[in-house]
Each structure stands twice: as structure tokens, then as C-alpha cells.
Amino acid sequence: MHLYDTDMAVNINRDDEELYRKAAKLINDAVNTYSNIFKGRKSEKEILYMAMVDIALRFEKTNLRNDTLPYDNILKQLTKEIEEAL
């Protein structure tokens, strides 16, 4: 797997190969974006951290959008009320 300026050997499940490729592309794109903006003004380590925060933020936003707990609670309450009414 090629990440930014590093080639890494990884052992993965064949079914996950496409996901690893997409993850590597996401990482490379984020690092390259921040590198293009901040190269020469920020250290490589800071640029990598910026990319990590960017990706983590996307992940957290996706988790918020996919949070089904409030809906599950409403469905449980409605089910309870329907069962009590019957």
C-alpha cells in the first residue's frame, strides 16, 4: 500500500482490499491537499496531523448522521404503547 511518501506491506482480507485502496486514496488526497497549502510553512508532521484531524472529523460527522439510537428509542416507546393498547 502506498501512503503519501511511504510504501507499506500489509496483510489484509481479500474482501477488504477495495476498502483499503479507498482508505489509502483518502489519506493521500488529504495529505496532498494540506501539503500543497502549507508546504514550507508547516512541518511534515503538522501536515500529517492536519490530514488525520480532517479524516477523523469526516468520520465523526458520518457517525452523527448514522446515529439511529434516537429512532430506536422512539420505536421502542411506540411498540410499548401499541402493545399496551392491544
Side-chain angles (χ1 to χ4, degrees):
M1 176 185 296
H2 183 78
L3 292 173
Y4 188 52
D5 63 352
T6 304
D7 287 319
M8 297 174 49
V10 292
N11 293 321
I12 60 168
N13 184 333
R14 187 74 155 154
D15 295 337
D16 293 336
E17 182 178 353
E18 183 63 26
L19 295 173
Y20 274 85
R21 290 181 189 278
K22 288 180 179 181
K25 181 175 180 352
L26 175 64
I27 292 167
N28 289 330
D29 289 349
V31 172
N32 286 332
T33 296
Y34 284 101
S35 184
N36 287 336
I37 295 169
F38 295 106
K39 191 135 187 138
R41 295 186 293 159
K42 300 283 184 183
S43 71
E44 187 170 305
K45 183 177 177 180
E46 287 176 297
I47 290 169
L48 292 175
Y49 285 155
M50 287 178 195
M52 286 192 306
V53 169
D54 184 304
I55 292 167
L57 182 61
R58 293 181 205 185
F59 175 79
E60 290 299 328
K61 285 182 176 181
T62 299
N63 276 345
L64 285 176
R65 283 194 302 271
N66 293 330
D67 182 13
T68 61
L69 185 59
Y71 302 109
D72 292 342
N73 291 338
I74 290 170
L75 287 174
K76 285 178 187 175
Q77 182 63 32
L78 288 172
T79 301
K80 180 182 172 190
E81 290 175 14
I82 290 170
E83 287 175 352
E84 287 173 358
L86 294 175

